[in-house]
Amino acid sequence: MLVFILPFIVIAVIAKLLLPKKKPSIKGKHIVIFGGSSGIGKALAILAAKEGAHVTILARNIDKLTEAKNEIKNYCIDEEQLIAKVSVDVTNYEAVENNLGEVEAIVGPIYMLVNCAGMAICGEIENFTQQQIKTLVDVNLIGSIYSVKAIVPKFKKRREGIIILTASQVALMGMYGYSVYSSCKFALRGFAESVYQEVKPYNISVTLALPPDTDTPGFEIENQTKPKETKLLSETGGLLQPEEVAKKMLDDALSGKFFSYVGFESFILTTLCVGMSPFQSVFDVIIQSCLLGMLRIVGAFYSMYFNGIIKKCFKEKESKKDKQT
Ligand SMILES: NC(=O)c1ccc[n+]([C@@H]2O[C@H](COP(=O)([O-])OP(=O)(O)OC[C@H]3O[C@@H](n4cnc5c(N)ncnc54)[C@H](OP(=O)(O)O)[C@@H]3O)[C@@H](O)[C@H]2O)c1
């Protein structure tokens, strides 16, 4: 098997190395980031400022926005650079549309729209309140759809634009405790793949980011609701810094990649779940075709390992119950 696929991998690697693609510069371009006042979104805003872009950050809390704006300003490389902030709830379509129009008038035409506004609440499904379910769907799914719906007509008119949506590793695999959050992020993948086809002829790209656990204020809050099982399962993937995730997101989006992921485990998961998703190069298709069968076996081992953790926790809970009765 390996003898058969090795030549294809070697050819693909050589082709990739010989044909490096030049990334477009974002100097002087306007980048708009929903959720830019904290975590991954703020890290991306700082990166964009360091590369000379004009940046607008949008979120709800005005104090956090002001603090983040002042921090981002410190990283500007040019006196002409504009850093703007807007307080808006991404789940309110009219407000999103109006505010995008206003920031375009003040800062300039938007070149890239990033949606990092999102949150997770964990728990077993029977313990969720209806309000928690609605909040998760609103911010993680509807908010992303609204921001894209509002920006696409502007991008189509100019025949240029980049969209980054932030999903998660649990957009590709379900996980104990993430039922509601994961379903929003799975849905986001379907949304991103469909919009990708709609906007591609207009020279607009869509990138779907799949961050693993990342050390952000949002992640700290999420941890407060995590069942033991979820903690144990997600710990296997380690913890990344927001700067690393944001850099990969920006680089991948500028290179026109559909999926943006960081690290070897994420590569395995993304390759395993590639399905009918858009591809950027023949190189990627060759690598994926060669690895898919083998990775299904690796994935099965992960599933067995995860099921083992869940079973152990279940037994612990049952024996606790027995002792109490
Ligand atoms: N951190 C992780 O481990 C991780 C892993 C995978 C995926 N993700 C995803 O990555 C994205 C960013 O996560 P993060 O960890 O960086 O979160 P974070 O630190 O909590 O930042 C979230 C940002 O979104 C804004 N926001 C939340 N609800 C909003 C709303 N309704 N309207 C407008 N803005 C809103 C927040 O500001 P306000 O509260 O002031 O509005 C904040 O600026 C999320 O989509 C998350 O699901 C995170």
Side-chain angles (χ1 to χ4, degrees), residues 2 22 24 31 39 49 59 80 91 103-104 119 123 131 154 161 203 249 259 263 271 289 311 316 319-320:
L2 196 65
K22 202 171 174 281
I31 301 206
E80 310 277 282
T91 67
V103 292
E104 279 216 323
M119 65 175 294
Q131 187 52 51
K154 297 176 193 300
N203 189 32
M249 278 165 71
F259 285 128
T271 306
S289 319
K311 202 170 167 186
E316 275 172 20
S319 75
K320 247 189 209 164

Side-chain angles (χ1 to χ4, degrees), residues 97-155:
E97 193 182 30
N98 292 339
N99 278 298
L100 287 184
E102 279 172 28
V103 292
E104 279 216 323
I106 299 165
V107 182
I110 299 167
Y111 173 69
M112 180 188 286
L113 178 125
V114 185
N115 195 328
C116 283
M119 65 175 294
I121 303 172
C122 304
E124 286 87 4
I125 186 61
E126 65 275 23
N127 298 328
F128 275 87
T129 64
Q130 278 169 277
Q131 187 52 51
Q132 283 175 324
I133 295 171
K134 196 172 169 331
T135 302
L136 283 175
V137 175
D138 278 350
V139 65
N140 290 305
L141 179 60
I142 310 277
S144 297
I145 295 176
Y146 282 174
S147 59
V148 172
K149 174 176 158 54
I151 199 68
V152 161
K154 297 176 193 300
F155 281 175

Side-chain angles (χ1 to χ4, degrees), residues 35 37-38 40 60-61 88-90 116 166-167 181 185 211-212 214 216 218:
S37 68
S38 171
I40 298 170
R60 293 162 306 173
N61 186 303
V88 67
D89 188 330
V90 74
C116 283
T166 316
Y181 177 72
K185 299 294 189 182
T214 308
T216 65

Side-chain angles (χ1 to χ4, degrees), residues 96-271:
V96 168
E97 193 182 30
N98 292 339
N99 278 298
L100 287 184
E102 279 172 28
V103 292
E104 279 216 323
I106 299 165
V107 182
I110 299 167
Y111 173 69
M112 180 188 286
L113 178 125
V114 185
N115 195 328
C116 283
M119 65 175 294
I121 303 172
C122 304
E124 286 87 4
I125 186 61
E126 65 275 23
N127 298 328
F128 275 87
T129 64
Q130 278 169 277
Q131 187 52 51
Q132 283 175 324
I133 295 171
K134 196 172 169 331
T135 302
L136 283 175
V137 175
D138 278 350
V139 65
N140 290 305
L141 179 60
I142 310 277
S144 297
I145 295 176
Y146 282 174
S147 59
V148 172
K149 174 176 158 54
I151 199 68
V152 161
K154 297 176 193 300
F155 281 175
K156 276 190 174 176
K157 211 166 163 189
R158 288 198 288 273
R159 310 248 161 184
E160 181 183 66
I162 297 174
I163 296 167
I164 307 182
L165 297 171
T166 316
S168 162
Q169 295 277 283
V170 295
L172 302 182
M173 58 176 280
M175 189 179 280
Y176 189 110
Y178 277 121
S179 57
V180 183
Y181 177 72
S182 170
S183 50
C184 300
K185 299 294 189 182
F186 261 73
L188 204 52
R189 175 182 177 173
F191 175 70
E193 286 193 10
S194 306
V195 172
Y196 176 94
Q197 291 185 3
E198 289 179 22
V199 300
K200 195 175 183 333
Y202 294 86
N203 189 32
I204 303 165
S205 66
V206 178
T207 294
L208 185 71
L210 308 164
D213 282 353
T214 308
D215 191 7
T216 65
F219 181 69
E220 260 179 52
I221 298 170
E222 174 187 332
N223 274 339
Q224 293 163 13
T225 60
K226 267 184 191 163
K228 185 179 174 189
E229 289 87 340
T230 316
K231 275 192 187 142
L232 292 171
L233 296 180
S234 54
E235 264 168 23
T236 56
L239 186 65
L240 294 184
Q241 290 308 306
E243 294 73 22
E244 195 181 348
V245 174
K247 176 152 184 14
K248 193 69 180 15
M249 278 165 71
L250 190 58
D251 285 351
D252 286 341
L254 290 172
S255 312
K257 289 187 182 158
F258 179 71
F259 285 128
S260 175
Y261 55 83
V262 192
F264 185 65
E265 290 200 342
S266 300
F267 163 73
I268 291 180
L269 181 63
T270 312
T271 306

Side-chain angles (χ1 to χ4, degrees), residues 33-50 55-76 82-87 217:
I33 306 170
F34 283 89
S37 68
S38 171
I40 298 170
K42 189 173 80 177
L44 208 145
I46 289 173
L47 266 179
K50 280 183 185 170
V55 180
T56 301
I57 53 170
L58 303 96
R60 293 162 306 173
N61 186 303
I62 191 79
D63 294 336
K64 262 174 34 186
L65 275 166
T66 309
E67 213 178 294
K69 179 183 164 178
N70 293 336
E71 190 182 341
I72 296 160
K73 265 187 170 176
N74 291 330
Y75 293 92
C76 289
L82 299 170
I83 307 297
K85 64 171 197 303
V86 178
S87 173

Side-chain angles (χ1 to χ4, degrees), residues 17-32:
L17 292 176
L18 289 179
L19 302 166
K21 259 197 163 180
K22 202 171 174 281
K23 259 190 331 174
S25 163
I26 53 170
K27 193 169 185 333
K29 299 275 172 73
H30 183 191
I31 301 206
V32 160

